[in-house]
Amino acid sequence: GFGGGEHLLSIAKKNKKIGIIGCEPYLNGVAMFLPRLVKENLGRVRVFMDDARILFEVLPDLSISKLFLLFPDPWPKTRHKRRRFINRENIKIFERILKLDGLIYIATDVNEYAKHVLENFNNQAGFEWLAETASDWRNPWKDWEETRYFSKAKRSGRKTTFMIFRKI
């Protein structure tokens, strides 16, 4: 989900001619976001109020340029790890719906989840991690908009890992 929509709104304001779909299963997030969206008059933004995986099932092949996954639930308990959003099945779906050279941006403040993401993407031939130096995952990407989850992690002293993968 897009949480409070800070990042989504920022992207939409900077890219007014691009169609954007925000997915958020929780009413509170959508209720916080919609008045701000209307105020900004951003007509190319659509909100899907449910789990993004449902939308993925009907998206056409090669239809998406960028995906953002910011501070997903890390499901830290061993018995819950199968619920993690980044998994083999979803990566195969990303491969289907992303255009060639399409990007997936992932931010997490949980080191074990960052390791999980890297392991899953490294086991898939269809993507490459765009990090060349440590600063590439330690610093936010261009056009990063601070979210409340990022601020909360920073206040708690947790470092965020920023990863970008390109479909090849």
Side-chain angles (χ1 to χ4, degrees):
F2 56 68
E6 306 94 344
H7 195 265
L8 174 60
L9 194 63
S10 172
I11 291 169
K13 286 165 61 173
K14 293 173 185 170
N15 300 280
K16 292 183 178 181
K17 294 183 180 185
I18 305 271
I20 298 174
I21 304 170
C23 300
E24 174 56 57
Y26 297 108
L27 181 59
N28 287 347
V30 173
M32 254 192 333
F33 176 69
L34 287 179
R36 294 167 47 208
L37 179 64
V38 170
K39 181 182 174 191
E40 295 290 341
N41 194 27
L42 298 167
R44 291 193 162 269
V45 176
R46 300 292 181 261
V47 174
F48 182 71
M49 197 177 141
D50 212 326
D51 190 311
R53 289 172 285 208
I54 295 168
L55 182 63
F56 290 165
E57 292 175 17
V58 297
L59 284 172
D61 294 355
L62 309 173
S63 60
I64 303 295
S65 298
K66 295 179 183 178
L67 290 170
F68 293 88
L69 183 61
L70 310 180
F71 302 95
D73 191 330
W75 295 104
K77 293 180 182 175
T78 300
R79 70 177 187 261
H80 293 154
K81 287 185 180 181
R82 66 184 178 347
R83 297 180 183 174
R84 289 178 170 175
F85 195 81
I86 297 298
N87 57 46
R88 267 190 231 124
E89 294 79 26
N90 283 345
I91 292 173
K92 287 291 182 195
I93 292 170
F94 302 156
E95 197 169 359
R96 180 185 67 77
I97 64 174
L98 275 172
K99 297 176 180 180
L100 185 61
D101 292 327
L103 301 172
I104 300 175
Y105 296 81
I106 302 171
T108 182
D109 61 329
V110 178
N111 289 336
E112 203 274 323
Y113 193 80
K115 180 182 173 194
H116 167 83
V117 168
L118 289 171
E119 287 171 353
N120 274 268
F121 272 97
N122 285 334
N123 289 330
Q124 302 294 324
F127 290 93
E128 68 177 339
W129 185 27
L130 297 184
E132 293 178 4
T133 68
S135 66
D136 291 334
W137 70 80
R138 289 182 181 151
N139 298 317
W141 49 75
K142 184 181 176 231
D143 291 334
W144 167 257
E145 180 69 26
E146 211 169 282
T147 68
R148 60 190 158 130
Y149 297 105
F150 177 76
S151 299
K152 183 178 176 182
K154 198 162 55 169
R155 281 192 310 272
S156 298
R158 293 188 310 273
K159 301 223 183 281
T160 297
T161 301
F162 298 91
M163 296 171 276
I164 304 173
F165 297 92
R166 179 174 48 216
K167 180 182 171 185
I168 51 176

